[in-house]
Amino acid sequence: MILIKGGTVIGPTGATPADVLVVGEQVSAIFSPGQGPAEGDFETIDATGKYVIPGAVDAHTHMELPFGGTFASDTFDTGTRAAAWGGTTTIIDFAVQRTGEVVQDGLAAWHGKAMGNCHIDYAFHMILGGVDDESLKAMDTLVTDEGITSFKLFMAYPGVFYSDDGQILRAMQKARDNGAMIMMHAENGPAIDVLVKQALERGETDPIHHGLTRPEALEAEATSRAIWLAGVAADCPLYIVHLSASKALEQVAAARDLGRNVFAETCPQYLYLTLEDQLGAPGFEGAKWVCSTPLRSKHETHRADLWQGLRTNDLSVVSTDHCPFCFKDQKELGIGDFSKIPNGIGSVEHRVDLLYQGVVDGKLSLARWVETIATTPARMFGLFPRKGIIAPGSDADIVLYDPAARTRIGVETHHMNMDHSAWEGYEIAGKVDTVMSRGRVIVKDGAYHGGKGHGQFVRRGLSDYLI
Ligand SMILES: [Zn+2]
Ligand SMILES: [Zn+2]
């Protein structure tokens, strides 16, 4: 039994001074300050001056993902440990059905990678690399038997994960029937491939051309097309992943205004980093920030629009799309050809801090901070109320956040398996102080007390946002 005393509990409805009693792996009760059990034969954690928030839920990670001839550099062991350091206590990773593979085999491979290796709880979405009769049938099985209730499709990456519009429609119709969520990588891949080829023919090989060949129009077009296709599939639930551009956000907002089952997430990199300042860094340096969708221009309104979208709930969730690659030997695969740079940025450790900076900067309320990093992703993907909230009966995944301390982000201090940081030198006015996962204190006083194998696979239900 542990009593967390003297803190301010933050939930999706606001902030309340309260004490939290944890018994075993769950929250047992919440008391007005000082009204809980008297000091006795149990541990007390002093939360005076700290925010007590639900452990964050990162709904978009790619541990050990095979991509571009290499693998994402974080394993489930290193990646979930880094997540824990940063206050994230649940990840939803993407299991992969490669083209030509049986869906259940891809899922089994992912369980094999994760089982016994995770420091925090984890769940899976399923990437469908090939939509056919067999994989459509597998969607039903995964929803009913495996606790996997969301499926990612790609309008980009022809020849790798790409689905054509007919395949997308069929998967959406299936999702409409079984209640699953379709997650969409919304970029027009065939058109992007033409622009990439033309750029390389002109000798434009630097990392910035990764961004310039993936223009906003091709994200907005694909987002719009996905929304229309979901409409044809009788309003199948649709979740746009890693939305980066103003005009794509406009499409989502318009659909939501019509009452459609359309949702979207963005990621910290799109809220802070830009095409010019990071992707356009001199020489090959910009490769660190090659990700898809790409970073957008600072001369346009993307970042301000995305923050506003978070406030208005047109963007419901912030995930990281954590997909780390080392600079040496991995990002370097693309020297002389930006299209060969593995796509991805590693941020799984930093999302709680980076979004708290939004609170400090007056862009988000405390409640909205907690909602976008914890409560809404839990509700969106069928983990609520077990995850995403501090309430009697929910898992004791709890973070004490210290608004008076500071965090300096960089390769010297981070715990991700990366030889660089996309956030080198960033300073946050706040700090993850203590982290608890299912009642076990895993980070405290700057020391790590967790262990691999503590994290368990969590079966998910259907999204809370549908009736
Ligand atoms: Zn994607
Ligand atoms: Zn991704």
Side-chain angles (χ1 to χ4, degrees):
M1 195 158 104
I2 299 174
L3 185 66
I4 302 170
K5 276 185 79 167
T8 302
V9 176
I10 316 281
T13 54
T16 324
D19 298 344
V20 179
L21 182 66
V22 171
V23 177
E25 297 194 342
Q26 294 183 330
V27 174
S28 171
I30 297 173
F31 298 98
S32 297
Q35 300 301 304
E39 315 270 335
D41 190 20
F42 54 88
E43 190 184 339
T44 300
I45 296 177
D46 181 9
T48 304
K50 309 212 168 68
Y51 297 134
V52 181
I53 67 171
V57 177
D58 192 338
H60 191 153
T61 69
H62 298 285
M63 306 304 173
E64 304 180 39
L65 177 76
F67 189 96
T70 184
F71 285 83
S73 59
D74 265 321
T75 61
F76 278 91
D77 177 5
T78 64
T80 58
R81 184 170 176 275
W85 271 106
T88 288
T89 52
T90 307
I91 60 164
I92 314 179
D93 201 85
F94 285 85
V96 177
Q97 175 217 8
R98 284 171 301 188
T99 310
E101 186 180 38
V102 174
V103 172
Q104 284 88 341
D105 291 349
L107 175 60
W110 236 257
H111 275 299
K113 291 176 201 241
M115 196 183 299
N117 289 319
C118 291
H119 294 244
I120 54 170
D121 287 353
Y122 61 100
F124 294 145
H125 311 286
M126 191 83 215
I127 286 175
L128 294 180
V131 176
D132 55 22
D133 291 344
E134 197 183 14
S135 53
L136 288 167
K137 231 179 276 162
M139 286 174 72
D140 284 337
T141 312
L142 262 58
V143 170
T144 53
D145 299 347
E146 304 288 348
I148 292 169
T149 56
S150 43
F151 298 87
K152 185 177 180 189
L153 299 171
F154 289 78
M155 302 171 105
Y157 304 127
V160 188
F161 293 133
Y162 176 76
S163 291
D164 66 30
D165 291 350
Q167 291 174 310
I168 289 169
L169 181 61
R170 292 185 76 197
M172 285 177 162
Q173 289 170 332
K174 175 58 80 180
R176 174 72 275 183
D177 290 343
N178 65 24
M181 181 78 79
I182 293 293
M183 306 174 77
M184 190 63 74
H185 181 126
E187 287 187 296
N188 186 324
I192 286 168
D193 280 5
V194 169
L195 297 181
V196 168
K197 185 162 175 285
Q198 290 169 346
L200 291 172
E201 281 167 4
R202 287 192 300 267
E204 297 166 353
T205 61
D206 285 346
I208 195 169
H209 295 288
H210 170 80
L212 298 174
T213 54
R214 308 180 88 91
E216 174 182 31
L218 296 182
E219 184 184 348
E221 183 275 331
T223 303
S224 167
R225 182 157 36 101
I227 291 169
W228 281 105
L229 287 168
V232 173
D235 203 14
C236 141
L238 174 67
Y239 179 97
I240 306 292
V241 294
H242 49 57
L243 189 148
S244 72
S246 298
K247 287 192 166 57
L249 179 57
E250 281 174 21
Q251 306 300 319
V252 170
R256 291 178 60 78
D257 287 348
L258 293 170
R260 294 280 307 281
N261 287 324
V262 174
F263 309 93
E265 69 176 14
T266 191
C267 312
Q269 52 267 35
Y270 308 119
L271 294 167
Y272 288 101
L273 310 178
T274 65
L275 177 86
E276 293 83 3
D277 292 341
Q278 278 81 29
L279 195 53
F284 190 64
E285 185 82 4
K288 293 174 182 173
W289 295 279
V290 165
C291 58
S292 296
T293 54
L295 302 183
R296 298 297 177 188
S297 174
K298 67 177 177 183
H299 302 302
E300 297 162 351
T301 59
H302 307 288
R303 287 177 296 172
D305 291 343
L306 295 178
W307 282 109
Q308 179 174 306
L310 285 175
R311 287 195 296 279
T312 60
N313 204 35
D314 287 325
L315 292 169
S316 309
V317 170
V318 180
S319 308
T320 55
D321 195 4
H322 177 73
C323 194
F325 294 99
C326 286
F327 196 77
K328 189 170 167 26
D329 297 338
Q330 292 199 302
K331 291 287 186 180
E332 284 178 354
L333 292 168
I335 292 176
D337 179 352
F338 69 85
S339 73
K340 300 246 167 24
I341 301 169
N343 286 203
I345 286 181
S347 304
V348 75
E349 189 170 349
H350 304 313
R351 183 181 54 126
V352 172
D353 288 323
L354 289 165
L355 270 290
Y356 182 71
Q357 187 62 41
V359 176
V360 174
D361 295 341
K363 291 172 172 162
L364 291 182
S365 67
L366 280 171
R368 191 65 186 148
W369 170 50
V370 166
E371 217 171 20
T372 53
I373 60 171
T375 313
T376 302
R379 297 190 66 189
M380 186 69 70
F381 294 109
L383 290 166
F384 189 86
R386 183 169 167 189
K387 307 293 188 187
I389 187 117
I390 297 175
S394 60
D395 281 355
D397 293 356
I398 296 173
V399 172
L400 271 56
Y401 199 81
D402 185 354
R406 294 185 77 81
T407 302
R408 192 178 161 85
I409 301 179
V411 69
E412 293 302 323
T413 50
H414 76 196
H415 301 85
M416 301 177 291
N417 185 33
M418 293 176 73
D419 61 1
H420 66 280
S421 171
W423 305 93
E424 190 64 48
Y426 262 70
E427 281 229 29
I428 309 292
K431 189 180 193 340
V432 172
D433 178 89
T434 302
V435 180
M436 186 184 280
S437 164
R438 290 199 337 273
R440 172 173 169 180
V441 174
I442 58 175
V443 176
K444 194 167 192 294
D445 300 327
Y448 191 71
H449 306 284
K452 84 175 188 178
H454 169 77
Q456 295 178 351
F457 177 70
V458 183
R459 290 168 183 272
R460 296 184 292 115
L462 300 181
S463 175
D464 259 19
Y465 290 108
L466 305 169
I467 49 172

